[in-house]
């Protein structure tokens, strides 16, 4: 177990003292070695914002799939909105059928994929035009959530794991 506390940059970004804590959350070392996570100090120098051209096709600008939950929908919808604002050419929410209406009104122009099972999610992600998948916000916990996370990780897309996908 470990914990790192840092204060060296907080005065640059925040008017009050802020402790940043990086702590062991129980992920076994062999898992970390297998997935080779990277850590970087988030500064504008790391940001590579797309510069769209008027001739770009939506898939040339990236296709983001947000796998959201059916009850707690806010974070997934905000993430989808952020993806569009940063320049994603296409946004697809992969959500339980009962929540499709909530997501449909969240972001004009977003596609809604009604996904009930991990197999349906795998079929959606079989389309190589989808370049990034975010899974976790509002997903819930349990065997169905774990199965969806595994399907996403088995795909070829870049993956962002967040919230329930990490638990």
């Amino acid at each position: 177990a470990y914990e790192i506390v840092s204060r060296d940059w907080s005065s640059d970004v925040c008017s009050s003292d802020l402790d940043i804590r990086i702590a062991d959350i129980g992920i076994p070392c062999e898992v970390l070695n297998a997935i080779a996570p990277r850590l970087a100090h988030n500064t504008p120098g790391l940001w590579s914002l797309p510069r769209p051209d008027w001739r770009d096709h939506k898939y040339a600008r990236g296709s983001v799939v947000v796998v959201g939950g059916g009850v707690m929908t806010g974070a997934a919808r905000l993430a989808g909105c952020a993806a569009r604002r940063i320049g994603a050419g296409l946004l697809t929410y992969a959500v339980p059928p009962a929540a499709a209406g909530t997501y449909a009104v969240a972001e004009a122009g977003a596609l809604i994929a009604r996904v009930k099972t991990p197999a349906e999610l795998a079929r959606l992600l079989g389309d190589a035009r989808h370049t990034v998948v975010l899974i976790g916000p509002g997903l819930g916990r349990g065997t169905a959530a774990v199965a969806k996370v595994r399907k996403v990780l088995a795909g070829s897309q870049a993956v962002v794991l967040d919230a329930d996908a990490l638990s």
Side-chain angles (χ1 to χ4, degrees):
Y2 61 85
E3 180 175 14
I4 301 168
V5 179
S6 174
R7 286 183 180 261
D8 63 342
W9 60 272
S10 63
S11 62
D12 294 338
V13 297
C14 186
S15 62
S16 64
D17 285 338
L18 176 66
D19 287 347
I20 303 300
R21 297 180 184 274
I22 301 172
D24 185 347
I25 60 171
I27 300 173
C29 288
E30 53 274 3
V31 172
L32 292 174
N33 291 336
I35 63 173
R38 294 172 301 204
L39 176 67
H41 185 194
N42 187 7
T43 64
L46 288 178
W47 307 343
S48 175
L49 303 178
R51 298 216 181 262
D53 186 272
W54 67 270
R55 295 167 291 212
D56 284 348
H57 186 274
K58 61 188 167 195
Y59 289 110
R61 295 180 57 195
S63 172
V64 177
V65 176
V66 176
V67 182
V71 177
M72 309 251 322
T73 64
R77 291 183 293 135
L78 285 171
C81 179
R84 292 287 291 277
R85 287 186 179 184
I86 198 68
L90 184 64
L91 168 64
T92 303
Y93 289 109
V95 299
T102 301
Y103 285 92
V105 299
E107 184 72 21
L111 301 179
I112 308 299
R114 290 166 173 82
V115 173
K116 205 176 207 178
T117 67
E120 291 172 343
L121 180 58
R123 248 189 319 280
L124 172 69
L125 299 180
D127 184 342
R129 297 176 298 179
H130 296 303
T131 52
V132 178
V133 180
L134 164 65
I135 184 167
L139 184 66
R141 297 182 188 158
T143 57
V146 170
K148 286 181 179 178
V149 170
R150 287 185 175 155
K151 289 292 183 188
V152 167
L153 291 174
S156 62
Q157 294 85 1
V159 176
V160 177
L161 299 175
D162 187 30
D164 289 338
L166 297 170
S167 340

